[in-house]
Amino acid sequence: MSQDSPHAKSRSVSVDDIGVRRQLADGSEESVTWAELSAVVIRVIPEGPWKEDVFLMLAGPDGTGTAVPSGDPAADALIERLQSLPGFDNDKFVEAMTTDADEAYVVWKAEAAK
């Protein structure tokens, strides 16, 4: 059996009240907590229909965060949680999820600390 390249493959994604964690096939982990979440970007890469082409990019502080493929089993729970964020741009989200343009759509940004 051939091995897929392990560097970007998810082993599992979990969404809970703390945040989002993505366990990668190489054993490393990416995560962001809801408290640290600074932006949500939908990244569309026109690779489809047979390759994953839409990613939910969750940005944390200092360039940390994770990217969850929209086809991941945890994506529905993640999308539901993201849509409950105050100020989430649902219209832009729908546009991003239905386009095949090679673009990044910012659908939510944390309020600047005042």
Side-chain angles (χ1 to χ4, degrees):
M1 194 155 74
S2 69
Q3 273 305 102
D4 280 332
S5 172
H7 66 277
K9 298 275 183 197
S10 294
R11 180 174 290 153
S12 67
V13 174
S14 62
V15 179
D16 58 28
D17 288 341
I18 296 167
V20 180
R21 282 177 307 289
R22 179 179 177 208
Q23 186 79 35
L24 302 179
D26 66 3
S28 63
E29 185 178 281
E30 299 174 344
S31 65
V32 64
T33 65
W34 298 119
E36 294 176 332
L37 187 64
S38 60
V40 177
V41 177
I42 309 302
R43 180 69 177 103
V44 181
I45 305 167
E47 293 283 336
W50 295 282
K51 287 185 178 178
E52 188 63 57
D53 60 350
V54 178
F55 295 87
L56 307 164
M57 314 282 288
L58 308 175
D62 304 321
T64 61
T66 189
V68 178
S70 65
D72 188 277
D76 288 347
L78 174 59
I79 290 167
E80 193 174 311
R81 183 72 184 239
L82 293 174
Q83 287 176 318
S84 72
L85 293 169
F88 184 87
D89 189 337
N90 208 54
D91 290 340
K92 192 173 276 190
F93 173 77
V94 170
E95 180 184 346
M97 296 300 282
T98 57
T99 187
D100 58 3
D102 187 353
E103 281 190 49
Y105 296 82
V106 177
V107 295
W108 184 82
K109 268 193 154 161
E111 295 278 331
K114 292 180 180 165

